[in-house]
Amino acid sequence: MHSALSELEKEVIDIFVRIAGVLSLPRSVGELYGILFISSEPMCIDDLMRKLKISKGSTSQGLKILRSFGAVNPVYMAGDRRDFFTAEAELRRIVAGFVNEQVRPQVNIGKDRMARVKELLEQEEAGRKEFIAERIERLQGWQKRANALLPFALNFIKPD
Amino acid sequence: MHSALSELEKEVIDIFVRIAGVLSLPRSVGELYGILFISSEPMCIDDLMRKLKISKGSTSQGLKILRSFGAVNPVYMAGDRRDFFTAEAELRRIVAGFVNEQVRPQVNIGKDRMARVKELLEQEEAGRKEFIAERIERLQGWQKRANALLPFALNFIKPD
DNA sequence: CAGATTGTTCAAAATTTAATGAACAAAGTG
DNA sequence: CACTTTGTTCATTAAATTTTGAACAATCTG
């Protein structure tokens, strides 16, 4: 079968499947990005399904996720009404998209939670209050530092 | 029941359960660290089981994971042969432990994989080789930048 | 507009991951 | 040394996540 994955393709896909795991993304998302990353030609859903041997549903959903943070670019192919995609290869864009779509929402939830914890602290009995207050302050310090690191890390990724 | 979790405890535990999720650690690990983090007193396995209403097995395994990267400190309690623990509250230590135990191994596997990909590249036909070579080089660039960021991020966490 | 093509959605199935608890090992105690 | 206490391991169970594929919607084509 001419659509089988080469050793090299498998190896590269494996790398991205691993990365997907770290980022808590489905395996299929890693596979999709991986195959697009080493394909010089844009691919459509059908190409991707056949190459990766995954279902149409997975392919469609996986591409949706990849588009959501700009890891994949739609490409117009003249005379073909199927949607084609290439991998976005500029790291800064992908990371920025990922941070905005997947990370920042989480961070904001963290802030709300923090506010609620501080309210609850007031109701605490005097004995424990001191210790707990210290811990909450510490936790808030961690949050601040994490937030400060984020923009720096983004800046760390220089243009290619 | 006097061992039920207070609202504040639940809220703090929720924060750490969330963090555990981001780090791909089991929920129970987040719960364990969370309850220890807001407890002024060291706790033993039995305390933890009862407080969190999780099994002995989960508690034992969870503590094992937390110890593996130094997120938890054993505490000697005179006249009690059970093992007691407190939460390590110095962020730098926890992050350093986590990076050494959970992150670096992955990064090294990544390096091996990269080497294999470069071997396979040689067998590629001339036409595609050029494009693929560019992609692999790019991927390697990403890896380098990620590796460079790690020590910086560690340094970013100043002593408390 | 009837039929074909393409992409999306979502309930059900398959897979993966985590939690449970009983069996076991280790170490203390009298 | 028999008995208790404590912690770990691991096969099984339970829960969470991912994938599948058929139904559907949207769009094109002649």
Side-chain angles (χ1 to χ4, degrees), chain B residues 40-91:
Chain B
S40 52
E41 300 307 317
M43 297 176 85
C44 66
I45 286 194
D46 203 58
D47 297 334
L48 293 164
M49 287 177 61
R50 277 188 299 106
K51 265 280 189 186
L52 299 171
K53 290 190 186 122
I54 61 178
S55 70
K56 194 152 67 130
S58 281
T59 309
S60 176
Q61 285 184 205
L63 286 171
K64 189 179 177 180
I65 292 171
L66 287 168
R67 270 175 307 182
S68 81
F69 54 86
V72 124
N73 294 124
V75 172
Y76 171 72
M77 300 289 272
D80 197 324
R81 67 191 172 90
R82 292 173 296 176
D83 301 342
F84 283 78
F85 299 91
T86 55
E88 168 60 56
E90 201 171 319
L91 182 58

Side-chain angles (χ1 to χ4, degrees), chain B residues 61-130:
Chain B
Q61 285 184 205
L63 286 171
K64 189 179 177 180
I65 292 171
L66 287 168
R67 270 175 307 182
S68 81
F69 54 86
V72 124
N73 294 124
V75 172
Y76 171 72
M77 300 289 272
D80 197 324
R81 67 191 172 90
R82 292 173 296 176
D83 301 342
F84 283 78
F85 299 91
T86 55
E88 168 60 56
E90 201 171 319
L91 182 58
R92 219 175 18 162
R93 279 204 195 144
I94 300 173
V95 174
F98 187 81
V99 168
N100 285 327
E101 298 302 315
Q102 321 271 317
V103 181
R104 285 210 211 280
Q106 295 292 325
V107 170
N108 289 335
I109 289 167
K111 275 179 187 157
D112 294 350
R113 212 158 220 115
M114 220 37 193
R116 181 156 158 64
V117 168
K118 286 203 146 186
E119 274 175 43
L120 287 167
L121 173 63
E122 296 313 316
Q123 302 163 24
E124 207 63 27
E125 56 169 296
R128 285 180 207 166
K129 192 171 174 179
E130 196 185 5

Side-chain angles (χ1 to χ4, degrees), chain A residues 124-132, chain B residues 40:
Chain A
E124 207 63 26
E125 55 169 294
R128 286 180 206 166
K129 194 170 174 178
E130 196 186 5
F131 174 82
I132 294 173
Chain B
S40 52

